[in-house]
Amino acid sequence: MFLRQLKYLVCVSLALTISGGLFAQTTVKLATVAPEGSPWANELAKIKKKIESESQGQIKFKIYPGGQMGGENEILQQVIRGKLQGAGLTAGALANTVKELNVLEIPYLFDSYAQADCVLDDHLQEDFRKLFEAKGLIFVTWAENGYRSIGTKSAPVKTPEDLKGVKIRIQESPVHIAYWKQLGVSGIPIAIPEVLPSLQTGVVEGFDNTPLFTLAAEWQTAIKYFTLTRHIYQPAAILYSKKFWDTLNDDQKKTLMGEGNKLAPGARQAVRSIEKNMIATLKKADVVVYEPSKADLAGFKSAATAVSGQVVGKIGGQSKSIYDKIQKAKAACGG
C-alpha cells in the first residue's frame, strides 16, 4: 500500500514539474480610474485579451475601470499590499510613493511628445524600473494621460491673474500643489471619483486635466471654459504588484510582461491620435476652448520656474540625480 501511494505521489510531482506550474490558473485583478470606453480602458482590454490567449486561459484578467477600486492613491496602496495584482496609474499618483516621479510632473519640463518619449524610453526606463521595484511595484510599460490644461465654470482663464483666488481641484502631488500655489490658486486635492460632484455643487470652480480625460470622466458637463495651457505632460504606467509577481514562475512572468516590455504599444499613440477630435468635441459640448498666445503662456511658464527648485532635491530619494539625467537626455533627444 505504501509503495503504491509513493508511486502515485512521484507521478503527480513529475507531472507538475513537466507542466512548469503554468497550468495553475492565476487571476490578475487590475484597476484604473480611467472610465470604461476610454482609450486607456480599451488598451487594458487588449492586454487582457492578449494575455488570456497566450496563456491559453491559464491567466485570467479582471479589469476594474472608472475608479471602482477607489481613487488612484487607494488603488496604488492595494497594489503594493498585493490586494490588487496590477494597475494603470498616472505619474502624479505614483509619485506619492516613488518620489522621483515628481520630477516628471514639473510644469513645462518637456517640449514635445517626441522628446518625452526619447527621455523616458531610451534614457530613464531602467532607472525608473529599479525605483518602482524598490517600492513593491513591477514596471510593465509607460502609458500617458497627456498634456494637462485648465477647465473652469464661471469665467475664462487667459492669464494666471484670472486664477487668483479661484478654487481649483488639484492632484495630490507636491509638484501640482507647488505650481498652483505659485499661480495664486486655492488648490483643493480631490480624488477622481469625487471631482464631478464637487464641480456640480460648487466645492471647486475648476480643474486641470487633459481634454480626453475631461470628456471620459464627463467633467465637461460642469464647465463652460477650457484653456489649452498644456502646462504638465503627464505620463502614466502599467504596473504589477511585486508581492504577486514573486509568486509567479518564469513562464507566467514572460507572458504577463510581454515581449520586450511592449505589452501595450498603442497606449500612448491611442491618446495622442484623438486629441484634436477631443478638443472639437469640447466645443460641440458648448465649452469655450481658448488657445493662449505666447504672451499669455509666458505668465504660466514664469510661475513654473520656481517649482523645480522647490521640488528637486527636496522630495527625497534620487530626485536630483533623475532631474539631472532628464536635462542631459533632453539635450541628446532634441525638441
Side-chain angles (χ1 to χ4, degrees):
M1 175 67 73
F2 173 76
L3 289 175
R4 284 201 301 271
Q5 289 176 333
L6 181 61
K7 183 177 180 181
Y8 172 76
L9 289 172
V10 169
C11 289
V12 170
S13 178
L14 284 171
L16 288 172
T17 301
I18 292 168
S19 73
L22 182 61
F23 299 103
Q25 192 175 90
T26 298
T27 299
V28 178
K29 293 184 288 185
L30 193 149
T32 177
V33 298
E36 194 159 6
S38 66
W40 308 286
N42 292 342
E43 202 64 32
L44 291 176
K46 291 178 185 177
I47 291 173
K48 167 185 164 71
K49 183 177 180 180
K50 177 180 174 65
I51 289 176
E52 289 185 348
S53 174
E54 289 185 359
S55 71
Q56 298 181 347
Q58 297 307 313
I59 299 177
K60 296 290 186 181
F61 259 72
K62 188 166 179 59
I63 309 283
Y64 296 90
Q68 291 180 37
M69 292 297 178
E72 288 199 300
N73 290 331
E74 294 172 276
I75 291 171
L76 174 58
Q77 292 308 312
Q78 291 180 74
V79 174
I80 292 171
R81 293 195 299 268
K83 291 188 175 182
L84 286 171
Q85 287 72 48
L89 298 165
T90 63
L94 288 164
N96 290 316
T97 296
V98 183
K99 302 298 184 184
E100 293 85 353
L101 281 167
N102 282 291
V103 175
L104 300 181
E105 299 279 298
I106 292 173
Y108 300 104
L109 178 67
F110 295 116
D111 298 326
S112 65
Y113 283 126
Q115 186 184 72
D117 288 350
C118 178
V119 170
L120 294 176
D121 292 342
D122 301 337
H123 294 268
L124 275 94
Q125 188 169 114
E126 286 307 311
D127 293 90
F128 279 111
R129 187 185 310 284
K130 293 174 184 176
L131 291 168
F132 281 126
E133 187 162 357
K135 296 297 183 179
L137 300 162
I138 299 298
F139 175 81
V140 180
T141 186
W142 292 113
E144 75 178 21
N145 187 19
Y147 278 100
R148 298 172 76 101
S149 291
I150 301 170
T152 50
K153 291 175 62 175
S154 303
V157 172
K158 296 185 179 181
T159 67
E161 287 68 31
D162 296 328
L163 284 166
K164 299 297 182 184
V166 177
K167 295 182 293 182
I168 296 287
R169 178 268 171 181
I170 64 173
Q171 191 155 349
E172 299 169 90
S173 155
V175 177
H176 289 241
I177 291 168
Y179 184 52
W180 289 107
K181 187 175 181 180
Q182 286 293 319
L183 291 171
V185 169
S186 300
I188 303 175
I190 300 173
I192 290 289
E194 301 303 319
V195 174
L196 184 56
S198 296
L199 287 165
Q200 292 168 334
T201 57
V203 172
V204 290
E205 290 292 313
F207 60 87
D208 80 313
N209 219 306
T210 62
L212 175 54
F213 195 95
T214 297
L215 288 162
E218 298 187 346
W219 294 355
Q220 86 284 357
T221 60
I223 61 169
K224 293 182 180 178
Y225 306 96
F226 198 84
T227 303
L228 297 170
T229 51
R230 299 183 177 93
H231 52 278
I232 291 176
Y233 169 74
Q234 189 170 61
I238 297 173
L239 307 142
Y240 295 127
S241 165
K242 189 174 186 303
K243 283 191 174 182
F244 161 68
W245 191 254
D246 289 344
T247 68
L248 304 175
N249 62 41
D250 290 343
D251 287 336
Q252 291 168 322
K253 288 178 180 179
K254 183 177 179 181
T255 301
L256 282 167
M257 184 60 69
E259 185 178 352
N261 302 316
K262 293 181 179 179
L263 189 62
R268 285 178 287 191
Q269 292 306 320
V271 171
R272 296 171 192 178
S273 65
I274 59 174
E275 184 178 32
K276 289 183 179 179
N277 289 340
M278 295 300 97
I279 292 171
T281 302
L282 282 173
K283 293 177 180 179
K284 289 179 181 177
D286 294 326
V287 174
V288 177
V289 178
Y290 180 69
E291 182 80 58
S293 65
K294 287 185 178 180
D296 293 335
L297 287 176
F300 292 101
K301 291 183 177 181
S302 177
T305 57
V307 175
S308 60
Q310 294 173 18
V311 175
V312 176
K314 297 181 182 180
I315 53 177
Q318 303 173 38
S319 60
K320 179 64 167 62
S321 173
I322 292 293
Y323 181 75
D324 291 343
K325 285 184 178 183
I326 289 173
Q327 298 307 317
K328 185 177 179 179
K330 283 168 63 177
C333 291

